[in-house]
């Protein structure tokens, strides 16, 4: 079993030998020389005096995952997750950079002051590099410039209820004015695209009629609610020229609309999450609140459509949307699903999920690397990350296909151990995670190094 030398420092000089390296266009057996945290050389056989060596025969070397969508809820609700456990969990899943969302923490990241406070906490506690989203909410239009000047990776707004009193959804006027400003600031606006009028109205009716089962929950968030919001947002983006990123898209209908916009040359990207690909509405019925999210897990036929769209390259990237909460907010015995927290806890499993899907559907591993690292880096301006090539940061996820991984309470490193993924067996496992040339995680052992907050170099 490969055991990494954890003593090497940032200036560590190491050759990772014989790994199956997942490049942008192929997987190739190569040596990787690391020097001063960068990929110094890539070639079939490297001879460098004085370099440490690690043999990676039989293992796969992916670019460290860049997860653009997590909620660590700190400051203010660190007991929900927090930077310390959240980022450590991500490292255990082969993730070397994450973008933390502006809501669920208190205060929300909707002012310059809140951003700087959160950045300081992240610098102290994060196990991996990270970036921070700013929020667009009613009334913070004048804060957007300060947030942009202090390096937010982009802005996030909700078109439906957020589940969070401290972060209001954006009404149409806020959306339009915000898009105009965000265009001027040269940033991207990420959107939770579900129609508030549709979801709120259908929810009120169900609650009034005391119909609060899993099926009732699904009926309150129909695919049309997502399609309508996507359509409206695309029209506003056409009006304002605002670059858009749709988060956690869950339906083929929404993708149809996004594809038309892309073909018309609009600046729009779209993500989905592994839970929409690996699970479906029957898991909500069977497992209850741990499977509750918004948009909801869809019926099996929609799940199949999403997998087909993924294989066809219609999703730009995949993120976890890790949105955990304290145990009692996901009470498995909750008779009223509507009262349970909406969010899937599983940030550790995105890369493993994508490799599972790649193996099952014969998707080349370079496509997995595109979805989990290259596309996020390119979309959000991280120009030293996202691909294994000379000069880039030495960020890697070392994966074994010869060792399966069954999720349990000891190998799932989130703060709260309830998860939709509990007892799920992946056909692969993360052997080690390396950040800028240093071993962060290896076989359930962690090494704390010190993280960098990233701001986009250019969009
Ligand atoms: N406040 C949240 O964490 N919401 C999240 N919850 C989900 N997806 O169920 C989200 O991304 O919308
Ligand atoms: Zn959302
Ligand atoms: Zn989210």
């Amino acid at each position: 079993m490969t055991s990494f030398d954890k003593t090497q420092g940032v200036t560590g000089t190491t050759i990772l030998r014989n790994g199956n390296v997942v490049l942008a266009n192929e997987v190739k057996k190569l040596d990787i020389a690391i020097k001063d945290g960068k990929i110094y050389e890539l070639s079939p056989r490297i001879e460098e005096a004085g370099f440490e060596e690690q043999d990676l025969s039989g293992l796969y070397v992916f670019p460290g995952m860049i997860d653009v969508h997590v909620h660590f809820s700190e400051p203010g609700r660190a007991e929900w997750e927090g930077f310390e456990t959240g980022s450590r969990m991500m490292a255990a899943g082969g993730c070397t950079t994450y973008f933390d969302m502006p809501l669920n923490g208190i205060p929300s990241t909707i002012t310059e002051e809140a951003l700087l406070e959160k950045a300081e906490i992240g610098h102290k506690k994060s196990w991996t590099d990270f970036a921070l989203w700013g929020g667009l909410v009613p009334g913070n239009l004048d804060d957007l410039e300060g947030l942009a000047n202090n390096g937010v990776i982009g802005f996030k707004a909700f078109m439906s209820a957020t589940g969070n009193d401290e972060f209001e959804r954006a009404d149409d006027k806020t959306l339009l004015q915000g898009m105009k400003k965000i265009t001027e600031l040269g940033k991207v606006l990420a959107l939770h695209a579900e129609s508030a009028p549709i979801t709120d109205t259908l929810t009120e009716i169900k609650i009034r009629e005391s119909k609060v089962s899993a099926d009732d929950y699904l009926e309150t968030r129909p695919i049309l609610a997502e399609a309508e919001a996507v359509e409206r947002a695309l029209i506003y983006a056409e009006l304002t020229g605002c670059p858009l990123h749709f988060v956690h898209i869950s339906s083929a209908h929404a993708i149809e609309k996004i594809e038309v916009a892309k073909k018309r040359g609009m600046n729009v990207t779209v993500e989905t999450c592994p839970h929409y690909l690996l699970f479906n509405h029957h898991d909500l019925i069977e497992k209850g609140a741990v499977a509750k999210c918004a948009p909801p897990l869809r019926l099996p036929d929609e799940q199949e459509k999403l997998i087909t769209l993924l294989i066809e390259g219609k999703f730009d990237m995949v993120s976890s949307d890790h949105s955990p909460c304290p145990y009692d907010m996901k009470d498995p015995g909750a008779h009223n699903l509507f009262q349970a927290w909406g969010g899937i806890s599983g940030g550790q499993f995105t890369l493993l999920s994508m490799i599972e899907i790649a193996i099952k559907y014969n998707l080349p591993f370079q496509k997995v690397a595109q979805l989990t690292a290259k596309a996020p880096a390119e979309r959000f301006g991280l120009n030293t990350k996202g691909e294994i090539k000379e000069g880039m940061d030495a960020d890697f996820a070392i994966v074994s296909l010869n060792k399966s991984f069954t999720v349990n309470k000891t190998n799932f490193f989130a703060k709260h151990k309830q998860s939709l993924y509990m007892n799920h067996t992946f056909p692969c496992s993360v052997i080690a995670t390396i950040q800028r040339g240093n071993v962060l995680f290896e076989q359930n052992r962690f090494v704390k190094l010190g993280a960098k907050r990233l701001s986009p170099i250019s969009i």
Side-chain angles (χ1 to χ4, degrees):
M1 178 55 61
T2 308
S3 74
F4 288 85
D5 164 13
K6 295 192 299 301
T7 54
Q8 64 192 32
V10 177
T11 54
T13 48
T14 300
I15 298 174
L16 304 177
R17 283 213 187 287
N18 304 322
N20 298 296
V21 181
V22 184
L23 305 169
N25 300 312
E26 61 179 330
V27 179
K28 211 169 167 188
K29 193 185 279 289
L30 289 170
D31 287 355
I32 304 173
I34 300 168
K35 189 174 177 191
D36 297 341
K38 296 284 186 184
I39 299 171
Y40 174 68
E41 191 181 340
L42 264 181
S43 87
R45 181 75 193 165
I46 297 174
E47 294 302 343
E48 286 285 349
F51 276 52
E52 309 248 344
E53 299 207 6
Q54 305 282 353
D55 179 45
L56 298 187
S57 300
L59 298 174
Y60 285 79
V61 187
F62 285 82
M65 173 155 184
I66 298 172
D67 190 330
V68 304
H69 188 165
V70 300
H71 302 262
F72 288 170
S73 311
E74 188 173 17
R77 289 196 176 102
E79 69 279 8
W80 286 29
E81 186 65 76
F83 277 98
E84 177 73 34
T85 52
S87 60
R88 193 168 172 270
M89 165 207 61
M90 299 302 282
C95 178
T96 49
T97 305
Y98 60 83
F99 301 177
D100 185 58
M101 282 289 170
L103 73 159
N104 294 9
I106 304 173
S108 297
T109 321
I110 52 178
T111 66
E112 187 177 324
E113 187 195 358
L115 173 70
L116 296 175
E117 180 193 2
K118 182 185 266 196
E120 194 168 330
I121 299 167
H123 273 126
K124 273 198 211 101
K125 297 187 176 179
S126 185
W127 285 74
T128 74
D129 290 349
F130 66 97
L132 299 174
W133 288 99
L136 167 64
V137 296
N140 88 321
L141 210 57
D142 295 338
D143 293 292
L144 301 185
E145 186 157 5
L147 286 161
N149 295 341
N150 283 280
V152 291
I153 198 75
F155 290 94
K156 171 76 177 292
F158 271 65
M159 297 174 76
S160 61
T162 72
N164 199 290
D165 295 342
E166 301 80 14
F167 192 94
E168 240 186 292
R169 75 168 180 87
D171 56 274
D172 287 347
K173 194 169 175 202
T174 299
L175 217 43
L176 259 177
Q177 293 173 327
M179 283 190 188
K180 197 168 170 308
K181 186 72 185 165
I182 290 165
T183 306
E184 291 160 16
L185 295 169
K187 296 284 181 185
V188 175
L189 174 63
L191 285 175
H192 177 124
E194 287 185 287
S195 155
I198 295 174
T199 52
D200 288 350
T201 307
L202 295 178
T203 301
E204 278 153 32
I205 294 168
K206 286 289 185 187
I207 289 176
R208 198 169 50 240
E209 295 171 355
S210 304
K211 292 180 178 168
V212 288
S213 72
D215 289 342
D216 293 315
Y217 177 68
L218 181 65
E219 287 165 24
T220 63
R221 310 190 84 94
I223 284 172
L224 279 173
E226 184 173 71
E228 188 279 333
V230 163
E231 172 111 357
R232 184 160 27 107
L234 288 170
I235 288 169
Y236 289 11
E238 190 162 356
L239 267 171
T240 56
C242 186
L244 289 189
H245 175 68
F246 286 107
V247 300
H248 54 47
I249 288 293
S250 68
S251 68
H253 194 162
I255 293 296
E256 272 164 43
K257 295 180 181 298
I258 293 167
E259 276 296 294
V260 167
K262 284 182 173 179
K263 287 194 176 76
R264 297 180 56 214
M266 284 184 65
N267 184 338
V268 55
T269 46
V270 57
E271 74 181 41
T272 190
C273 304
H275 39 273
Y276 296 110
L277 305 168
L278 286 181
F279 303 101
N280 62 50
H281 178 58
H282 298 306
D283 292 288
L284 180 63
I285 295 169
E286 237 171 80
K287 300 177 184 168
V290 285
K292 180 187 176 185
C293 55
L297 299 180
R298 298 295 180 189
L299 292 170
D301 64 336
E302 197 66 29
Q303 177 191 10
E304 288 305 312
K305 286 181 196 167
L306 294 176
I307 291 169
T308 304
L309 290 168
L310 180 91
I311 293 164
E312 290 171 352
K314 299 293 190 315
F315 288 108
D316 297 285
M317 59 193 86
V318 174
S319 76
S320 66
D321 189 10
H322 179 72
S323 174
C325 64
Y327 193 84
D328 58 4
M329 294 175 71
K330 280 282 198 189
D331 175 6
H335 302 295
N336 180 347
L337 202 61
F338 285 56
Q339 285 166 354
W341 174 253
I344 300 296
S345 175
Q348 187 175 328
F349 310 122
T350 306
L351 183 58
L352 290 175
S353 300
M354 297 318 295
I355 295 170
E356 175 177 343
I357 288 165
I359 293 169
K360 186 171 177 186
Y361 295 97
N362 222 352
L363 195 65
F365 279 172
Q366 52 268 33
K367 291 283 176 218
V368 171
Q370 170 75 19
L371 289 161
T372 59
K374 192 164 190 290
E378 287 174 349
R379 178 49 162 170
F380 295 102
L382 304 184
N383 55 12
T384 66
K385 290 183 181 298
E387 189 181 343
I388 299 179
K389 70 178 180 187
E390 291 177 359
M392 299 292 256
D393 290 356
D395 293 351
F396 306 114
I398 316 287
V399 171
S400 167
L401 304 188
N402 303 320
K403 195 163 168 276
S404 65
F405 179 89
T406 301
V407 180
N408 61 46
K409 291 188 185 299
T410 50
N411 62 25
F412 177 34
F413 295 100
K415 183 161 282 172
H416 303 288
K417 306 302 181 185
Q418 78 263 31
S419 171
L420 173 61
Y421 290 89
M422 200 47 70
N423 306 316
H424 182 84
T425 296
F426 294 101
C428 49
S429 52
V430 173
I431 297 295
T433 305
I434 295 174
Q435 170 109 71
R436 287 181 274 108
N438 292 280
V439 177
L440 267 185
F441 166 77
E442 185 248 333
Q443 295 292 43
N444 289 349
R445 283 184 305 208
F446 294 87
V447 180
K448 182 143 209 177
L449 305 157
K452 271 185 180 172
R453 175 167 80 104
L454 306 157
S455 306
I457 310 300
S458 64
I459 288 286

